[in-house]
Amino acid sequence: MDDQRIRDEKRKWETRCLKKAPEKIESTSGMEIQVLYSPAEVPRGDYLGDLGFPGEYPFTRGIQPTMYRGRVWSMRQYSGFATAEESNQRYKFLLEQGQTGLSVAFDLPTQIGYDSDHPLSQGEVGKVGVAIDSLGDMEVLLQGIPLDKVSTSMTINATAAVLLSMYIAVAEKQGVKSADLRGRFRMMC
């Protein structure tokens, strides 16, 4: 089908179907956008280099080959507070309610590498996230949570390598190989 025929059919469709549509639509950055883009509006290019296939570089069509038709979205609530035991109870509750992943919130001392008993941690322990000072704390935090089935996200700062190592160690203790873990570790600056 040639581009001119597509443009003609699109105009007919707009007349027939877009009676209540706004005349002009803008993106949040103020750029005018069309209600529908057809092949006629897309310049011809290098399909493999510019677009590619889903699940492959340059990932313009998603990071998974079938995207969420083959694997459902992970649903996570950012959570973590007080002690590892209290956060563990919260995680188990959230998973029982249908959440499919964890998004772990660490307290400020944990994020910057201070133990909870360090003088600079005073007043901050467990306030905006869970306090993790040791591998034992991480074990308690994740006790009874099947890490091979639950996607875990952790947004952390300077201690990313340490906390990731603890997470992997807990998984291995559960009999879960690191290759079977799902989720992400995101470092915030």
Side-chain angles (χ1 to χ4, degrees):
M1 186 177 293
D2 70 14
D3 287 353
Q4 188 55 50
R5 179 158 179 229
I6 292 173
R7 284 188 199 94
D8 292 343
E9 291 299 321
K10 182 180 171 190
R11 274 199 257 355
K12 289 176 190 175
W13 171 81
E14 289 170 340
T15 303
R16 196 172 55 245
C17 299
L18 295 181
K19 295 173 183 150
K20 296 180 182 178
E23 289 181 28
K24 183 178 175 184
I25 301 173
E26 287 187 356
S27 69
T28 55
S29 60
M31 190 170 106
E32 189 171 337
I33 55 176
Q34 295 181 34
V35 174
L36 172 73
Y37 287 89
S38 72
E41 289 85 36
V42 179
R44 303 287 188 249
D46 175 12
Y47 179 86
L48 295 177
D50 297 337
L51 188 58
F53 295 106
E56 295 180 344
Y57 180 84
F59 300 103
T60 57
R61 299 179 69 193
I63 61 168
Q64 297 175 42
T66 59
M67 285 311 289
Y68 295 102
R69 287 171 286 182
R71 183 176 147 230
V72 297
W73 290 74
S74 293
M75 293 186 301
R76 300 184 183 111
Q77 178 179 349
Y78 190 56
S79 179
F81 57 93
T83 66
E85 293 92 353
E86 290 170 286
S87 289
N88 176 270
Q89 290 172 3
R90 177 69 176 162
Y91 295 153
K92 287 178 179 175
F93 170 78
L94 292 170
L95 292 167
E96 288 168 7
Q97 303 308 307
Q99 186 167 295
T100 58
L102 301 176
S103 184
V104 181
F106 295 103
D107 70 358
L108 185 58
T110 299
Q111 289 185 46
I112 59 176
Y114 286 122
D115 284 334
S116 294
D117 61 357
H118 190 282
L120 292 176
S121 298
Q122 188 174 0
E124 295 296 331
V125 176
K127 293 286 183 176
V128 295
V130 61
I132 300 295
D133 296 327
S134 66
L135 179 58
D137 290 338
M138 187 68 85
E139 289 171 340
V140 169
L141 181 69
L142 301 171
Q143 183 178 7
I145 296 172
L147 299 180
D148 57 338
K149 294 178 177 53
V150 174
S151 172
T152 306
S153 171
M154 297 185 184
T155 302
I156 45 186
N157 294 321
T159 56
V162 174
L163 292 167
L164 176 59
S165 298
M166 289 181 185
Y167 180 75
I168 292 169
V170 171
E172 289 177 353
K173 218 170 183 181
Q174 287 185 4
V176 178
K177 296 176 186 170
S178 60
D180 294 330
L181 295 173
R182 293 183 298 127
R184 66 185 188 145
F185 271 69
R186 198 169 95 180
M187 192 163 168
M188 301 297 286
C189 298

